[in-house]
Structure formats: C-alpha cells, structure tokens
Amino acid sequence: MANSGKGTFQPDSDVHISYSDQQKINKFARLNAKADDIKDELKVKQNDMKNLEEAVEELSLADEAEKIPYLIGEVFVCQTLEDTLKSLEDTKAKKENEIRELEEKCEDLKSQMSELKAHLYGKFGSHINLENEED
C-alpha cells in the first residue's frame, strides 16, 4: 500500500529556530500586541472626536444668553456659548493631535512588523504564520 503523503500531516523536523529567530518572533508578537492596543485607543479617541463634533452641532441650536455647563476635569463650569465653543474647539484640536500621533505610532509599528515578517517568512516560509485572524 503506497502512500503519496498527500493529505497527511508530516511534522517537519528540519525546521530549526535559532535564538535570534526566536527573539525576532517574540519582537513581532510584542509589536503586534502593541499595534492592537494602539488601534483600540485610536477607536476610543475617534469616538471622542465624533462626540465633540456632535456637541458643537447641538450648541448651534442653543440660545446665546444661555449658560452652558462644560466639564473640566471632574467639575462642571457654566460658560457662555462663545466660551464653550472655544473650549470645544481647543479640545478637538488636542484630540486631533492625539489621533495623529497614534496613527504615526501605528504606521511605525507596521513598518517594523513588515521588516520582521519579510525576514521570518523568507527563512521559515509556510512553517510560520504571522497574519492576524481579522486581516
């Protein structure tokens, strides 16, 4: 009974992982985890930005003479409409900078990961899987 080997699992004993290769695999895993954390943080900041934009839209309907409660830290401060809009614009500018910084960090991590991926796939080929399940 001849078996061509198709469809059967044959563990490859010729794949050797050196210490430096293991370090690269570990570094890739750390970078990947950090990138996931940054993506989650980015989603939160983008949601905050959307909420700020909606607040500005809602305030366009407010009365000029009305005092608007604005949260600063843990305290609400009543401000004029003009001061509240300025505060919201300042907060939006800060949030935009935070989002931009996170996007830059994410791109830097992706660049490092692609270098590691190229090296590891070049060495191990199909014996290693570095793809995210969601990608």
Side-chain angles (χ1 to χ4, degrees), residues 24-26 28-29 32 113-122 124-133 135:
K24 289 178 182 175
I25 292 169
N26 293 345
F28 181 88
N32 193 36
M113 288 169 59
S114 66
E115 289 174 21
L116 288 169
K117 230 187 231 191
H119 171 77
L120 292 169
Y121 275 131
F124 298 110
S126 63
H127 298 286
I128 192 167
N129 181 10
L130 302 173
E131 301 302 319
N132 278 344
E133 293 160 3
D135 286 348

Side-chain angles (χ1 to χ4, degrees), residues 8-135:
T8 60
F9 177 71
Q10 304 259 338
D12 292 330
S13 60
D14 61 342
V15 176
H16 174 72
I17 300 175
S18 68
Y19 178 75
S20 66
D21 292 333
Q22 185 62 51
Q23 293 302 98
K24 289 178 182 175
I25 292 169
N26 293 345
K27 182 176 182 180
F28 181 88
R30 283 190 307 272
L31 292 173
N32 193 36
K34 192 172 185 178
D36 287 344
D37 291 344
I38 288 175
K39 287 177 188 174
D40 291 342
E41 189 178 346
L42 191 56
K43 286 178 186 175
V44 169
K45 300 239 184 247
Q46 289 170 335
N47 189 43
D48 290 347
M49 182 64 124
K50 182 180 173 190
N51 290 339
L52 288 169
E53 290 168 353
E54 288 176 3
V56 169
E57 288 177 22
E58 284 294 320
L59 286 176
S60 66
L61 304 173
D63 184 17
E64 288 279 335
E66 191 176 340
K67 292 287 186 180
I68 313 285
Y70 187 80
L71 184 65
I72 299 176
E74 296 179 5
V75 178
F76 280 98
V77 177
C78 289
Q79 303 183 66
T80 64
L81 179 62
E82 184 180 325
D83 290 341
T84 303
L85 288 173
K86 183 177 178 340
S87 296
L88 284 172
E89 290 302 320
D90 292 344
T91 304
K92 277 178 56 178
K94 288 177 188 174
K95 199 65 66 178
E96 286 171 350
N97 287 336
E98 291 171 4
I99 289 172
R100 189 173 24 260
E101 287 174 8
L102 287 174
E103 288 172 341
E104 288 171 2
K105 283 182 187 178
C106 198
E107 287 302 315
D108 182 48
L109 290 175
K110 284 181 183 178
S111 171
Q112 292 178 43
M113 288 169 59
S114 66
E115 289 174 21
L116 288 169
K117 230 187 231 191
H119 171 77
L120 292 169
Y121 275 131
K123 184 157 187 176
F124 298 110
S126 63
H127 298 286
I128 192 167
N129 181 10
L130 302 173
E131 301 302 319
N132 278 344
E133 293 160 3
E134 62 213 25
D135 286 348

